[in-house]
Amino acid sequence: MSLPLARRTPTTVVTSSYCRQASKLSTSLTYCQDLVKKRDYEHYLSTLLVPKDARAGAFAVRAFNISIASVRENSSDSNISRMRLMFWKESIDQIYKAIREYKLTKQWLNQLIASRESRLSDNPFSSINEAERYFDDTLSPALFLILQCLRVQSVDADHAASHLSRAQGLVLLVRGIPYFAQQRKVLLPMDLCVHHGLTQESIVRREVEQPLRDVVYDIAGQAHIHLEKAVNMRERLPKAALSAFLPAVPCRLYLDTLQRRNFNPFDPVCSRREANLAAKMAWKKFRGAY
C-alpha cells in the first residue's frame, strides 16, 4: 500500500525555495573563500575578520577582483585578455543582482574591469606617479565596495582607503620583483631606474647592488607615506569601517622586514609568509586599530 503524498502548501514551497537559494549562496561563498585563500592569503585572513553580516559580500568582492586581475596573467595575448574582460563587463548585471542586498555601487565593479583593461601589457611604469594612479584605480574600488558591505558611508574612510590602496600597490610592486625577474620582466618605474642608474638587465640577473636598493628604498618610502596617512585617519573613521583596513597590517610588516633586510627584494626573508599573521591582525581588530 502506497502512502499518500504530502500536500505542497505555500509554506512548503517557500521553504523549499529558500533552502535551494541558501544552498546556492553557501556554495558560492565557499567558492569565493577558497579562491581568495588560494590566490590572496593575506586578504583571506583580513576578510575573515570582517563582521559576519558583511563577510559574504567582502569575499565576493575579493574573489571578483582576483578573477579580473588574473585575466592578464592567464594570457600573453592582449586581444584574448580584452575579450575575457568584455565577458566580465557583460556579466556585471548578473553579478550585481547576486549581491544587491549590500547595495553596492555598480560603478566600482565596472572600474575594477576598466582599470585592468587600461594596462594589459607588462611594460614598466613610466613614473612612480603613474604606478600610484594605477594602484589607486585597481585596488581602491575593492575597498570602497567592502566599505559598502559594512554599510559605511564616509568621505574620510574613502580617503583612507585610497591611501591604503596606493601603499598596498607599491608594496606589491616591490614584492613582485623576484617573480617578474624570473620571467625577464621589469615593472619598476622608469623615472626612478634612470635616476639611480638601475638597468633592467641587472634586475633580471638578480644583481643586488646599490642602484636596486635605492629604487626599492624610494618605492618603499612612498608606500610608507601613504600607509601612515591611512593610519593617521583612523580616529576620524566610523568604528564599523576599521575591519576593512586590516590589510594595512601585512603591508606594514613587509615594509619593516624590507628595511631590516637593507631593501633587498631578493632576500629570502622578504618572501616568507609572515608568522602569526592571523593573530596579529586579530589583535589589531581587538584593539580597534589597523
Side-chain angles (χ1 to χ4, degrees):
M1 182 178 73
S2 61
L3 295 174
L5 295 175
R7 184 181 176 187
R8 287 177 62 84
T9 65
T11 301
T12 304
V13 174
V14 170
T15 302
S16 176
S17 175
Y18 174 80
C19 289
R20 287 196 300 271
Q21 185 67 17
S23 177
K24 288 180 181 179
L25 288 174
S26 177
T27 301
S28 299
L29 176 58
T30 299
Y31 171 80
C32 291
Q33 287 180 326
D34 290 345
L35 178 62
V36 178
K37 183 178 183 179
K38 179 180 178 181
R39 297 292 305 276
D40 192 352
Y41 188 69
E42 292 175 356
H43 278 139
Y44 169 74
L45 293 179
S46 66
T47 307
L48 285 176
L49 295 171
V50 167
K52 188 175 181 179
D53 60 346
R55 198 174 301 151
F59 268 118
V61 169
R62 290 297 180 195
F64 178 73
N65 198 30
I66 289 170
S67 299
I68 298 303
S70 65
V71 165
R72 186 182 68 178
E73 299 172 13
N74 294 334
S75 176
S76 58
D77 188 326
S78 61
N79 289 325
I80 293 177
S81 296
R82 194 167 284 108
M83 289 173 62
R84 288 174 176 168
L85 287 175
M86 182 61 67
F87 162 79
W88 282 108
K89 280 183 181 179
E90 294 171 351
S91 302
I92 283 290
D93 287 338
Q94 186 175 0
I95 295 169
Y96 193 69
K97 289 178 183 177
I99 52 179
R100 62 184 180 275
E101 66 175 290
Y102 294 103
K103 298 180 181 179
L104 303 185
T105 302
K106 193 184 295 187
Q107 168 195 345
W108 299 129
L109 292 170
N110 283 315
Q111 176 64 30
L112 287 172
I113 298 175
S115 58
R116 297 290 180 180
E117 191 174 19
S118 69
R119 185 178 169 81
L120 291 175
S121 67
D122 288 324
N123 295 325
F125 291 102
S126 63
S127 67
I128 190 168
N129 289 334
E130 181 194 13
E132 284 190 39
R133 287 193 298 271
Y134 175 73
F135 295 131
D136 195 16
D137 288 343
T138 54
L139 301 180
S140 292
L143 259 182
F144 296 157
L145 289 165
I146 289 173
L147 286 170
Q148 290 184 335
C149 290
L150 292 164
R151 310 293 197 270
V152 171
Q153 290 185 328
S154 165
V155 173
D156 287 333
D158 289 348
H159 286 167
S162 180
H163 283 299
L164 177 56
S165 295
R166 289 173 183 246
Q168 282 188 286
L170 293 174
V171 165
L172 286 172
L173 184 60
V174 174
R175 293 176 77 168
I177 291 175
Y179 170 79
F180 284 106
Q182 193 172 17
Q183 300 182 40
R184 300 190 62 81
K185 296 176 181 178
V186 177
L187 305 186
L188 298 178
M190 293 175 63
D191 60 342
L192 295 183
C193 292
V194 171
H195 178 71
H196 292 293
L198 177 64
T199 65
Q200 292 192 19
E201 190 59 34
S202 68
I203 299 173
V204 170
R205 292 199 299 262
R206 304 171 71 94
E207 295 176 357
V208 184
E209 304 293 344
Q210 196 58 42
L212 175 62
R213 296 184 194 275
D214 289 342
V215 169
V216 171
Y217 173 85
D218 285 353
I219 297 172
Q222 194 64 15
H224 178 76
I225 289 172
H226 284 295
L227 182 61
E228 287 303 301
K229 287 181 178 179
V231 171
N232 290 339
M233 296 181 71
R234 182 181 59 210
E235 300 298 327
R236 292 152 53 186
L237 304 186
K239 186 176 180 180
L242 298 182
S243 61
F245 292 90
L246 288 173
V249 177
C251 190
R252 182 183 295 281
L253 290 172
Y254 179 81
L255 290 174
D256 291 344
T257 299
L258 187 65
Q259 183 177 22
R260 289 196 300 271
R261 308 313 293 183
N262 197 18
F263 301 97
N264 174 13
F266 292 110
D267 192 309
V269 174
C270 293
S271 300
R272 292 177 190 166
R273 180 174 288 180
E274 185 68 36
N276 302 315
L277 179 57
K280 291 173 181 176
M281 282 198 269
W283 175 244
K284 285 285 188 180
K285 180 184 179 182
F286 176 75
R287 294 177 55 207
Y290 57 82

